[in-house]
Each structure stands twice: as structure tokens, then as C-alpha cells.
Amino acid sequence: MPADSLEQALRATRWGSLLPAEDLSRVAAESTAVPVQEGGYLCRNGEPVDAWYGVLTGFMKMMVTTPDGKAATFTSMPPGSWFGEGSLLKTEPRRYDVVALRDSMAARVPRRTFEWLMNTSIPFNRFLLVQLNERLGQFIGMLETQRLHDPDARVARCVAGMFNPVLYPGLDARIEVSQEEIGHLAGISRQRVNQALQALQQARLLRAEYGAVVIEDLDGLRRYGM
């Protein structure tokens, strides 16, 4: 991706739109665009954390795999997602993998640039506070869903979580996501996802299309099973 295209992409983000033009130009000049093929890794568990990342195009997931091969997905990351700020603040090794569910493009902001923004930009720090608080709420909600709700509700909450306006700005009512991808995120089989989507469609909360989901009642999805 050319430098001017990367700068345009960063300017369209929530945090990039808050920066003065000269600050954004510096960030873009020090950052790079990283292509990741479907099934490829953008980040690996255990590696040093030396950058902050954002998903520009495609679709990714944050996950962890145990030594015996068990896998758990923490969250989906459609375009507009930014992650890794917590690991940068704690200066610890990365504790998760980031895998592309389809061909994707990510922005890589080096640690030194991220720290410069923190040290010089009040608007950027406000963005980080909101980002961290929203992420905390997301994971608390996921824990509640996994422990207290049936598969239909888990799928409802999983789909609704993809439309978080703070963490994933810019999405419209339709998102291209397969039933298999939803299954990875909700922790259930693709066949069970299909049944859940049929139930949610009958409740007029969403419409399932081939390779996509169209939201019809976002609030209803968030409340489903309560």
C-alpha cells in the first residue's frame, strides 16, 4: 500500500481523525501496511510486542492455542479494529495469536510511534481510555455469555459484538462472515450456528445470507436470552 493511501486509511480511523495533519503524517511515515493471507498469522503468542495494529481490510480473529491443540477465540476483528495497546502498556510478551480469516491488510504502528502519541497527544490518550474500557466490557460480556447462555444466545451475542460502534466503527448492517467463522468465535459447531441463525431469523433479529449476516434488530440481538 502506498504511503499516501496508508495515511488516508489512518485519517479515517477514530483516533487518526483527532490528530493534527502534521502528526498524522508522521505516524503514517513511520508505519507500514502488512498483507496477511487467509489462514496466515499477523501476530504470534509469545513474541515481543513491538507494534500496535489495526485491521484495514479483511477479517481477523484473536485466539490462543494450548500445547495439546485446544483452541479458543477471544474476539473477531473486522476492518476498523485496533488491538495490542494493552500489551504495549504492560511491555509483556504477546499472549495471543492473530489469524486472518480471509485475505487481509493491517496497519503496523511501531512501539516508538505509539509511545510518542501517548506522550504528546491528549486526544489520543482519550481514545485509548475509551478503547480499553470498551474492550474490558466486551470480554466481561463474553464471559457472561459463555457461562450463562445457550448456543442460540451465544450466536446472537457473538454477531451483535461484531457491530460495536466503538471497537469496530464504520460497519453497516451487513457483514461478510461465514457460519464457520461465527462458530469459531462462539465456540460451537457450524451446524449448531446454522440452527441458531435460523432461530434468530425467525425472531426477525437478523437475516442470514450466503457468507454474510444482515442485522435487522441490533438491540434485540444484544438482549436475546436475557
Side-chain angles (χ1 to χ4, degrees):
M1 176 180 288
D4 56 345
S5 297
L6 178 58
E7 183 169 347
Q8 291 175 8
L10 296 180
R11 185 179 293 113
T13 65
R14 286 195 306 118
W15 61 270
S17 65
L18 303 174
L19 300 181
E22 60 271 21
D23 289 356
L24 183 64
S25 294
R26 171 174 171 172
V27 173
E30 296 177 358
S31 302
T32 54
V34 182
V36 187
Q37 293 184 339
E38 179 180 348
Y41 287 80
L42 175 63
C43 305
R44 299 300 299 259
N45 185 16
E47 69 183 7
V49 180
D50 58 0
W52 187 46
Y53 289 95
V55 181
L56 300 178
T57 63
F59 197 68
M60 297 187 174
K61 66 176 179 179
M62 183 185 294
M63 62 173 292
V64 64
T65 304
T66 63
D68 60 358
K70 295 180 180 178
T73 297
F74 295 144
T75 185
S76 62
M77 294 189 294
S81 308
W82 287 85
F83 65 93
E85 59 277 351
S87 298
L88 283 168
L89 291 171
K90 290 183 287 187
T91 64
E92 65 179 13
R94 195 174 302 281
R95 301 180 64 181
Y96 52 82
D97 297 317
V98 176
V99 182
L101 293 172
R102 60 180 67 119
D103 290 352
S104 304
M105 183 74 69
R108 181 185 183 277
V109 180
R111 172 186 285 276
R112 66 180 183 277
T113 308
F114 176 86
E115 291 178 343
W116 171 74
L117 284 171
M118 283 202 308
N119 292 332
T120 60
S121 175
I122 291 177
F124 184 75
N125 279 277
R126 288 174 177 163
F127 162 83
L128 284 182
L129 284 174
V130 173
Q131 175 90 350
L132 290 167
N133 184 62
E134 198 72 22
R135 184 74 72 190
L136 176 62
Q138 179 191 44
F139 284 130
I140 290 175
M142 290 171 58
L143 182 62
E144 173 193 353
T145 299
Q146 291 288 336
R147 292 189 175 183
L148 300 179
H149 297 289
D150 63 22
D152 288 358
R154 288 164 66 177
V155 170
R157 303 294 180 84
C158 174
V159 173
M162 298 180 190
F163 290 84
N164 184 305
V166 176
L167 295 174
Y168 317 126
L171 289 178
D172 56 22
R174 184 180 188 275
I175 184 170
E176 294 184 359
V177 58
S178 70
Q179 293 182 10
E180 184 176 6
E181 290 167 347
I182 294 174
H184 286 309
L185 298 170
I188 59 179
S189 69
R190 187 198 64 77
Q191 292 79 6
R192 189 61 185 85
V193 169
N194 182 269
Q195 296 175 19
L197 290 176
Q198 291 181 29
L200 297 173
Q201 184 164 283
Q202 290 174 1
R204 298 183 179 179
L205 300 177
L206 55 76
R207 187 172 70 255
E209 298 180 349
Y210 180 76
V213 171
V214 180
I215 301 301
E216 296 187 341
D217 184 351
L218 184 57
D219 289 337
L221 281 174
R222 290 169 174 161
R223 296 192 305 268
Y224 191 86
M226 295 179 62

